Amino acid sequence: MADKCSEGLLNGAVPGEQGKQEKSVKRGNWGNQIEFVLTSVGYAVGLGNVWRFPYLCYRNGGGAFMFPYFIMLVFCGIPLFFMELSFGQFASQGCLGVWRVSPMFKGVGYGMMVVSTYIGIYYNVVICIAFYYFFVSMTHVLPWTYCSNPWNTPDCVGVLDGNLSSRAALNITQLLNTTQKRTSPSEEYWRYWGWDQGWRRYVLNLSDDIGNLGEVRLPLLGCLGVSWVVVFLCLIKGVKSSGKVVYFTATFPYVVLTILFVRGITLEGAVTGIMYYLTPQWDKILNAKVWGDAASQIFYSLGCAWGGLITMASYNKFNNNCYRDSIIISITNCATSVYAGFVIFSILGFMANHLGVDVSKVADHGPGLAFVAYPEALTLLPISPLWSVLFFFMLILLGLGTQFCLLETLVTAIVDEVGNEWIIRKKTFVTLGVAVAGFLLGVPLTTQAGIYWLLLMDNYAASFSLVVISCIMCVAIMYIYGHRNYFKDIEMMLGFPPPFFFQICWRFISPAIIFFILVFTVIQYRPISYNEYVYPTWAISIGFLMALSSVICIPIYAIYKVCRSEGDTLLERLKNATKASKDWGPALPEHRSGRYAPVFSPSTESHLEVQPLQPEKGQNEAAAASPVQGSNGSAHSQDSRL
């Protein structure tokens, strides 16, 4: 009994109030605040920080790109991050449950679930490819070092093939650049190239069309299974188990980045690569595309509108300072992107120096950087398998940190929505079911046409739909629920209202920037292609359907809710559908104060007034009553009049 009482105190429960403790323990909480911060950092810091930001930076003016990047961070990134954290923490609900604030907009939560499902499917396929490269790097010589392998073509030119002097290598490179495209061993190892010649490559064994799935690549399928097993085991007990795992998965990538950075800056040509990365081109600041890229990168990098931030914050204690956390996590995410740029371009500068070409000739982004350009550069280093193992292990950890939150978002939404005792006890089986479904849906992405589908999902499933979802969320909270109500909620939770700067950003600046991102995305739209392959019209149509499948949830559920709401006229139904439900507010009774305080019914009040008619019993109870020590250290006694 004493153990149970002490456990209740640790969870913020008052002795004797067993119901409060049980409700908090049932859903689960972070073991401590460090677990939440590390999990959120792991969620925000993903593969895009390594393979997208450095490329955007050098393409959009180098150091000059930092100016619009940090402007967008301050006026859009951090405010939206704080909004989602405070939203989930106040209600202690996932991306579906929080919409008790305005039930008509619950479709926004369903849209977040659809987006997280798409991302979770293809993101784990990228992780499985990193697993594959991680395993094959455990050898004396990396398999993509030379052009003497069975899968290489006559056009292959490796930087270490033969006994070429640097001058001879330079001449061959210049000749190839003027006559035909140079194909490296790492490029041919990665993908299928020149299908008209009948060649077959190693990792992807790429087919000639997105509709030609071909065979399942068994090595990738096995690695996909390994990836999903790792994710499931880390989430087997929800945030209690994942909160312990992130101590390693969220911190060790920084160790690897530092090791690669120290090794990179000691190489010849590294300074050239870093200067190419940082040298400001101030004339590009006047280009609207630069600002659009900066806003888009901030928005997508922080994981806004995925539902993950709301979900992770829902496991916080009610009075946690999420304002402080949002600033720390957002700045850490952006600083990691900048730091990763030094790591990437120091190695690429070394490779460009070795080949005698400009850095732009070897720079790439996305899978091309992670699985072609950087692995090729690693072959030039002494003990190259060691550096390759470290690099791909870092990619695995960066991917897993995001994947944990994507899976937990779906599981939490399902469990919170059903909400009964049985599904809470069986949450592990829900996690297993979602993981198995994710694995099966990811199998087509391990076929010979898998990379086409992966890039299609990446470009359409989580692009402009996220912008629409985020914009509607801002409007629903600030203008439907009401900014004054939301500011009072935050003040009740944190003890102080949101700073005036954030109030202005939430109401005006951030929605305007989100709208700018949407317009920019539409204007800059180009049909997707993969190197020389142009996607057919039917495939692009599927991409648009995937994008619309998440957005369409919003109007469909809104119509459904309005039709089911009470009211004689359409206006009355709209008012009832948008009005906060009765169970909106803090989840635990001890936090429901002020306008969320429970109201006693007349029958309860009459029952309370009858108690003094038994004076002897009342006196005995009053004498037996003793002060009770609360979790906040204050003492209070029972009301003797009862």
Side-chain angles (χ1 to χ4, degrees):
M1 184 67 183
D3 293 339
K4 291 183 179 180
C5 183
S6 62
E7 184 181 354
L9 288 171
L10 289 174
N11 285 279
V14 177
E17 298 182 0
Q18 190 68 22
K20 296 178 183 179
Q21 177 203 345
E22 285 182 356
K23 188 169 183 180
S24 177
V25 171
K26 280 177 190 174
R27 193 173 186 276
N29 290 102
W30 298 109
N32 55 61
Q33 207 50 37
I34 297 178
E35 293 182 5
F36 166 68
V37 172
L38 290 179
T39 301
S40 300
V41 168
Y43 173 65
V45 178
L47 298 174
N49 297 72
V50 174
W51 73 21
R52 177 169 168 81
F53 173 81
Y55 175 82
L56 283 180
C57 190
Y58 101 83
R59 191 184 71 179
N60 288 306
F65 181 72
M66 302 290 184
F67 179 73
Y69 182 72
F70 284 107
I71 290 291
M72 293 300 176
L73 169 67
V74 172
F75 287 95
C76 183
I78 297 178
L80 289 177
F81 206 90
F82 180 29
M83 174 182 281
E84 292 202 29
L85 291 189
S86 59
F87 195 26
Q89 181 175 306
F90 181 79
S92 297
Q93 291 288 312
C95 61
L96 290 181
V98 291
W99 289 104
R100 295 169 183 170
V101 68
S102 186
M104 192 180 81
F105 291 94
K106 191 175 182 179
V108 174
Y110 284 111
M112 290 178 174
M113 287 187 65
V114 172
V115 169
S116 293
T117 301
Y118 285 137
I119 299 175
I121 291 171
Y122 77 78
Y123 210 82
N124 227 15
V125 175
V126 178
I127 298 173
C128 92
I129 298 174
F131 263 114
Y132 178 83
Y133 271 82
F134 173 75
F135 292 137
V136 299
S137 296
M138 297 178 183
T139 180
H140 294 294
V141 179
L142 293 175
W144 56 85
T145 302
Y146 300 106
C147 290
S148 56
N149 302 289
W151 58 82
N152 291 126
T153 68
D155 297 332
C156 177
V157 177
V159 294
L160 293 177
D161 277 330
N163 297 317
L164 297 173
S165 64
S166 59
R167 182 63 183 169
L170 173 61
N171 291 336
I172 290 178
T173 303
Q174 290 175 337
L175 177 62
L176 288 171
N177 285 338
T178 56
T179 58
Q180 60 187 23
K181 179 177 174 61
R182 168 185 175 266
T183 59
S184 64
S186 62
E187 186 177 10
E188 294 194 347
Y189 185 81
W190 159 247
R191 62 188 175 89
Y192 176 93
W193 183 270
W195 50 80
D196 55 326
Q197 300 176 22
W199 296 96
R200 291 295 182 270
R201 301 299 174 264
Y202 206 76
V203 179
L204 300 181
N205 198 2
L206 201 60
S207 67
D208 59 347
D209 185 71
I210 188 174
N212 181 16
L213 293 179
E215 63 182 12
V216 174
R217 300 290 294 148
L218 293 181
L220 293 183
L221 182 64
C223 291
L224 181 63
V226 170
S227 181
W228 275 111
V229 168
V230 170
V231 172
F232 168 71
L233 292 178
C234 292
L235 289 173
I236 194 168
K237 293 187 179 297
V239 295
K240 292 183 179 179
S241 56
S242 65
K244 304 298 182 291
V245 175
V246 293
Y247 280 105
F248 178 73
T249 60
T251 57
F252 193 72
Y254 291 96
V255 177
V256 178
L257 278 174
T258 302
I259 293 173
L260 293 175
F261 173 69
V262 173
R263 183 68 186 97
I265 60 175
T266 60
L267 299 172
E268 185 179 359
V271 175
T272 304
I274 293 175
M275 292 304 296
Y276 197 90
Y277 166 56
L278 289 180
T279 300
Q281 302 173 36
W282 296 109
D283 57 306
K284 289 193 174 184
I285 283 190
L286 300 177
N287 189 343
K289 187 177 185 304
V290 173
W291 289 84
D293 281 343
S296 301
Q297 176 63 16
I298 284 290
F299 184 83
Y300 295 123
S301 176
L302 291 175
C304 298
W306 292 15
L309 298 177
I310 294 175
T311 302
M312 295 303 105
S314 70
Y315 292 102
N316 277 336
K317 294 179 180 178
F318 182 73
N319 300 114
N320 170 63
N321 191 346
C322 57
Y323 166 66
R324 171 203 60 202
D325 294 341
S326 63
I327 295 176
I328 293 174
I329 297 167
S330 300
I331 293 178
T332 301
N333 171 72
C334 295
T336 303
S337 298
V338 176
Y339 186 39
F342 285 94
V343 176
I344 297 298
F345 274 88
S346 61
I347 298 291
L348 294 182
F350 165 66
M351 180 179 175
N353 178 75
H354 183 88
L355 292 174
V357 298
D358 191 74
V359 178
S360 61
K361 299 296 183 181
V362 296
D364 204 346
H365 70 289
L369 171 65
F371 302 115
V372 178
Y374 205 82
E376 182 182 17
L378 293 177
T379 62
L380 301 174
L381 301 177
I383 327 177
S384 56
L386 171 64
W387 308 112
S388 183
V389 166
L390 286 175
F391 175 71
F392 288 110
F393 188 53
M394 178 190 70
L395 291 186
I396 291 170
L397 296 182
L398 289 174
L400 287 177
T402 302
Q403 190 68 19
F404 291 159
C405 297
L406 291 171
L407 184 60
E408 186 61 41
T409 297
L410 299 175
V411 173
T412 297
I414 295 171
V415 173
D416 285 350
E417 186 66 10
V418 177
N420 57 39
E421 298 285 338
W422 180 86
I423 199 167
I424 292 175
R425 290 196 306 268
K426 303 296 183 181
K427 184 178 179 180
T428 300
F429 294 98
V430 178
T431 305
L432 177 61
V434 174
V436 171
F439 170 76
L440 295 177
L441 292 172
V443 170
L445 302 185
T446 63
T447 61
Q448 292 176 253
I451 191 64
Y452 297 130
W453 289 102
L454 189 151
L455 293 175
L456 185 71
M457 295 177 71
D458 184 43
N459 279 270
Y460 289 94
S463 56
F464 79 91
S465 55
L466 287 176
V467 184
V468 174
I469 290 173
S470 184
C471 189
I472 295 177
M473 182 179 67
C474 286
V475 171
I477 295 176
M478 289 294 106
Y479 296 99
I480 305 299
Y481 177 60
H483 63 275
R484 290 186 180 88
N485 290 332
Y486 194 67
F487 297 161
K488 290 177 182 177
D489 290 343
I490 292 180
E491 184 174 7
M492 185 177 79
M493 179 173 64
L494 302 182
F496 58 88
F500 181 73
F501 171 77
F502 284 87
Q503 296 182 21
I504 296 299
C505 285
W506 286 346
R507 294 180 62 191
F508 307 110
I509 301 177
S510 296
I513 293 177
I514 295 173
F515 183 74
F516 165 71
I517 296 174
L518 179 61
V519 173
F520 171 79
T521 303
V522 173
I523 293 175
Q524 293 292 323
Y525 171 75
R526 298 290 183 276
I528 184 176
S529 62
Y530 179 55
N531 293 312
E532 284 78 10
Y533 177 74
V534 178
Y535 280 67
T537 304
W538 65 266
I540 296 177
S541 300
I542 291 177
F544 277 112
L545 289 176
M546 285 192 290
L548 290 174
S549 62
S550 56
V551 177
I552 201 68
C553 295
I554 302 173
I556 288 178
Y557 190 87
I559 295 172
Y560 163 79
K561 191 64 181 178
V562 170
C563 293
R564 295 293 300 271
S565 297
E566 298 178 353
D568 297 329
T569 64
L570 179 60
L571 184 60
E572 290 178 355
R573 290 175 178 267
L574 280 173
K575 288 182 178 179
N576 290 328
T578 56
K579 184 173 60 177
S581 61
K582 295 179 180 179
D583 53 353
W584 161 251
L588 299 184
E590 63 263 35
H591 297 142
R592 298 184 72 91
S593 59
R595 57 199 176 99
Y596 296 107
V599 179
F600 291 106
S601 63
S603 60
T604 306
E605 293 177 357
S606 62
H607 175 70
L608 294 177
E609 292 174 359
V610 170
Q611 297 298 325
L613 296 180
Q614 302 178 10
E616 294 180 358
K617 184 177 180 180
Q619 290 175 0
N620 292 336
E621 290 181 353
S626 59
V628 179
Q629 188 73 20
S631 61
N632 60 355
S634 62
H636 55 89
S637 60
Q638 296 177 358
D639 191 347
S640 60
R641 290 177 298 174
L642 302 181

Short mmCIF file of all heavy atoms in Angstrom, two decimals, residues 42-54 123 126-127 130 366 369-371 394-400 402:
data_model
loop_
_atom_site.label_atom_id
_atom_site.label_comp_id
_atom_site.label_asym_id
_atom_site.label_seq_id
_atom_site.Cartn_x
_atom_site.Cartn_y
_atom_site.Cartn_z
N GLY A 42 14.54 13.88 -32.27
CA GLY A 42 14.67 12.78 -33.21
C GLY A 42 13.61 12.80 -34.29
O GLY A 42 13.85 12.41 -35.43
N TYR A 43 12.41 13.27 -33.93
CA TYR A 43 11.31 13.37 -34.89
C TYR A 43 11.56 14.47 -35.91
O TYR A 43 11.38 14.28 -37.12
CB TYR A 43 10.02 13.65 -34.11
CG TYR A 43 8.81 13.94 -34.97
CD1 TYR A 43 8.28 12.98 -35.82
CD2 TYR A 43 8.19 15.19 -34.92
CE1 TYR A 43 7.16 13.26 -36.60
CE2 TYR A 43 7.06 15.46 -35.69
CZ TYR A 43 6.56 14.49 -36.52
OH TYR A 43 5.46 14.76 -37.29
N ALA A 44 12.00 15.63 -35.43
CA ALA A 44 12.21 16.77 -36.32
C ALA A 44 13.48 16.62 -37.15
O ALA A 44 13.50 16.94 -38.34
CB ALA A 44 12.27 18.07 -35.51
N VAL A 45 14.55 16.13 -36.53
CA VAL A 45 15.82 15.94 -37.24
C VAL A 45 15.77 14.60 -37.96
O VAL A 45 15.86 13.55 -37.34
CB VAL A 45 17.01 16.00 -36.26
CG1 VAL A 45 18.31 15.74 -37.01
CG2 VAL A 45 17.05 17.34 -35.55
N GLY A 46 15.62 14.65 -39.25
CA GLY A 46 15.53 13.42 -40.03
C GLY A 46 16.48 13.43 -41.21
O GLY A 46 17.47 14.17 -41.26
N LEU A 47 16.16 12.60 -42.19
CA LEU A 47 17.03 12.46 -43.36
C LEU A 47 17.11 13.75 -44.17
O LEU A 47 18.13 14.04 -44.79
CB LEU A 47 16.50 11.32 -44.24
CG LEU A 47 16.49 9.93 -43.58
CD1 LEU A 47 15.81 8.93 -44.49
CD2 LEU A 47 17.90 9.47 -43.25
N GLY A 48 16.03 14.53 -44.16
CA GLY A 48 16.03 15.78 -44.93
C GLY A 48 17.07 16.77 -44.45
O GLY A 48 17.56 17.59 -45.24
N ASN A 49 17.41 16.74 -43.16
CA ASN A 49 18.44 17.64 -42.65
C ASN A 49 19.80 17.35 -43.27
O ASN A 49 20.63 18.25 -43.41
CB ASN A 49 18.56 17.51 -41.13
CG ASN A 49 17.28 17.92 -40.42
OD1 ASN A 49 16.29 17.21 -40.46
ND2 ASN A 49 17.31 19.07 -39.76
N VAL A 50 20.03 16.09 -43.65
CA VAL A 50 21.32 15.70 -44.20
C VAL A 50 21.32 15.77 -45.71
O VAL A 50 22.29 16.24 -46.32
CB VAL A 50 21.68 14.26 -43.73
CG1 VAL A 50 22.96 13.77 -44.41
CG2 VAL A 50 21.83 14.23 -42.22
N TRP A 51 20.24 15.32 -46.34
CA TRP A 51 20.33 15.20 -47.81
C TRP A 51 19.53 16.27 -48.57
O TRP A 51 19.56 16.29 -49.79
CB TRP A 51 19.93 13.81 -48.27
CG TRP A 51 18.48 13.43 -48.22
CD1 TRP A 51 17.39 14.25 -48.19
CD2 TRP A 51 17.97 12.10 -48.24
NE1 TRP A 51 16.24 13.52 -48.18
CE2 TRP A 51 16.56 12.18 -48.21
CE3 TRP A 51 18.54 10.83 -48.29
CZ2 TRP A 51 15.74 11.07 -48.22
CZ3 TRP A 51 17.72 9.74 -48.30
CH2 TRP A 51 16.34 9.85 -48.26
N ARG A 52 18.84 17.16 -47.86
CA ARG A 52 18.10 18.19 -48.59
C ARG A 52 18.59 19.60 -48.28
O ARG A 52 18.83 20.39 -49.20
CB ARG A 52 16.60 18.10 -48.28
CG ARG A 52 15.77 19.19 -48.95
CD ARG A 52 14.29 18.93 -48.85
NE ARG A 52 13.50 20.09 -49.24
CZ ARG A 52 13.23 20.43 -50.48
NH1 ARG A 52 13.71 19.70 -51.48
NH2 ARG A 52 12.50 21.49 -50.76
N PHE A 53 18.75 19.93 -47.00
CA PHE A 53 19.12 21.30 -46.65
C PHE A 53 20.45 21.75 -47.25
O PHE A 53 20.53 22.84 -47.82
CB PHE A 53 19.15 21.48 -45.13
CG PHE A 53 19.67 22.82 -44.71
CD1 PHE A 53 18.85 23.94 -44.71
CD2 PHE A 53 21.00 22.99 -44.34
CE1 PHE A 53 19.32 25.19 -44.35
CE2 PHE A 53 21.49 24.23 -43.97
CZ PHE A 53 20.65 25.33 -43.98
N PRO A 54 21.54 20.96 -47.14
CA PRO A 54 22.81 21.44 -47.72
C PRO A 54 22.70 21.74 -49.21
O PRO A 54 23.27 22.73 -49.69
CB PRO A 54 23.77 20.26 -47.46
CG PRO A 54 23.21 19.57 -46.27
CD PRO A 54 21.72 19.68 -46.43
N TYR A 123 8.96 5.99 -45.78
CA TYR A 123 10.12 6.39 -44.98
C TYR A 123 10.87 5.16 -44.47
O TYR A 123 12.10 5.14 -44.45
CB TYR A 123 9.66 7.25 -43.80
CG TYR A 123 10.66 8.27 -43.34
CD1 TYR A 123 10.79 9.50 -43.98
CD2 TYR A 123 11.49 8.03 -42.25
CE1 TYR A 123 11.70 10.44 -43.57
CE2 TYR A 123 12.40 8.97 -41.82
CZ TYR A 123 12.50 10.17 -42.48
OH TYR A 123 13.41 11.11 -42.05
N VAL A 126 13.15 3.75 -47.12
CA VAL A 126 14.44 4.44 -47.17
C VAL A 126 15.36 3.92 -46.07
O VAL A 126 16.56 3.69 -46.28
CB VAL A 126 14.25 5.96 -47.04
CG1 VAL A 126 15.60 6.68 -47.05
CG2 VAL A 126 13.37 6.49 -48.17
N ILE A 127 14.80 3.71 -44.88
CA ILE A 127 15.59 3.17 -43.77
C ILE A 127 16.10 1.77 -44.11
O ILE A 127 17.24 1.42 -43.81
CB ILE A 127 14.76 3.14 -42.48
CG1 ILE A 127 14.34 4.56 -42.07
CG2 ILE A 127 15.55 2.50 -41.34
CD1 ILE A 127 13.39 4.60 -40.90
N ALA A 130 19.07 1.98 -46.24
CA ALA A 130 20.23 2.33 -45.41
C ALA A 130 20.72 1.11 -44.65
O ALA A 130 21.94 0.92 -44.48
CB ALA A 130 19.85 3.46 -44.45
N GLY A 366 18.85 14.34 -51.88
CA GLY A 366 17.94 13.22 -51.79
C GLY A 366 18.69 11.89 -51.82
O GLY A 366 19.85 11.79 -51.41
N LEU A 369 22.29 11.80 -53.12
CA LEU A 369 23.39 12.18 -52.24
C LEU A 369 23.72 11.05 -51.27
O LEU A 369 24.88 10.69 -51.09
CB LEU A 369 23.03 13.44 -51.46
CG LEU A 369 24.00 13.84 -50.34
CD1 LEU A 369 25.36 14.22 -50.92
CD2 LEU A 369 23.43 14.98 -49.51
N ALA A 370 22.67 10.48 -50.66
CA ALA A 370 22.89 9.50 -49.60
C ALA A 370 23.42 8.17 -50.13
O ALA A 370 24.21 7.51 -49.44
CB ALA A 370 21.59 9.27 -48.84
N PHE A 371 23.01 7.77 -51.33
CA PHE A 371 23.35 6.44 -51.81
C PHE A 371 24.23 6.43 -53.05
O PHE A 371 24.56 5.34 -53.55
CB PHE A 371 22.07 5.65 -52.09
CG PHE A 371 21.17 5.53 -50.88
CD1 PHE A 371 19.93 6.12 -50.86
CD2 PHE A 371 21.59 4.83 -49.76
CE1 PHE A 371 19.10 6.02 -49.75
CE2 PHE A 371 20.78 4.71 -48.64
CZ PHE A 371 19.54 5.32 -48.63
N MET A 394 24.34 6.25 -39.09
CA MET A 394 23.76 7.56 -38.75
C MET A 394 22.44 7.76 -39.49
O MET A 394 21.44 8.23 -38.89
CB MET A 394 24.73 8.68 -39.11
CG MET A 394 24.21 10.08 -38.84
SD MET A 394 25.25 11.37 -39.53
CE MET A 394 24.95 11.13 -41.28
N LEU A 395 22.38 7.42 -40.78
CA LEU A 395 21.14 7.56 -41.54
C LEU A 395 20.04 6.69 -40.94
O LEU A 395 18.88 7.10 -40.86
CB LEU A 395 21.36 7.17 -43.00
CG LEU A 395 22.21 8.10 -43.86
CD1 LEU A 395 22.19 7.63 -45.32
CD2 LEU A 395 21.73 9.54 -43.78
N ILE A 396 20.38 5.49 -40.51
CA ILE A 396 19.40 4.59 -39.89
C ILE A 396 18.82 5.22 -38.64
O ILE A 396 17.59 5.24 -38.44
CB ILE A 396 20.04 3.22 -39.57
CG1 ILE A 396 20.37 2.47 -40.86
CG2 ILE A 396 19.11 2.39 -38.69
CD1 ILE A 396 21.22 1.23 -40.65
N LEU A 397 19.68 5.76 -37.79
CA LEU A 397 19.20 6.36 -36.54
C LEU A 397 18.37 7.60 -36.80
O LEU A 397 17.35 7.83 -36.13
CB LEU A 397 20.39 6.69 -35.63
CG LEU A 397 21.21 5.50 -35.12
CD1 LEU A 397 22.32 5.97 -34.20
CD2 LEU A 397 20.32 4.50 -34.40
N LEU A 398 18.78 8.42 -37.76
CA LEU A 398 18.00 9.60 -38.10
C LEU A 398 16.61 9.21 -38.61
O LEU A 398 15.60 9.83 -38.26
CB LEU A 398 18.72 10.44 -39.16
CG LEU A 398 19.98 11.19 -38.72
CD1 LEU A 398 20.64 11.86 -39.92
CD2 LEU A 398 19.64 12.24 -37.66
N GLY A 399 16.55 8.17 -39.41
CA GLY A 399 15.27 7.71 -39.93
C GLY A 399 14.40 7.10 -38.86
O GLY A 399 13.18 7.34 -38.80
N LEU A 400 14.99 6.31 -37.97
CA LEU A 400 14.21 5.65 -36.92
C LEU A 400 13.59 6.67 -35.97
O LEU A 400 12.46 6.49 -35.50
CB LEU A 400 15.10 4.68 -36.13
CG LEU A 400 15.50 3.39 -36.85
CD1 LEU A 400 16.45 2.57 -35.98
CD2 LEU A 400 14.27 2.56 -37.21
N THR A 402 12.40 9.55 -36.61
CA THR A 402 11.16 10.04 -37.22
C THR A 402 10.11 8.95 -37.31
O THR A 402 8.92 9.18 -37.06
CB THR A 402 11.45 10.60 -38.63
OG1 THR A 402 12.43 11.64 -38.53
CG2 THR A 402 10.20 11.16 -39.27
#
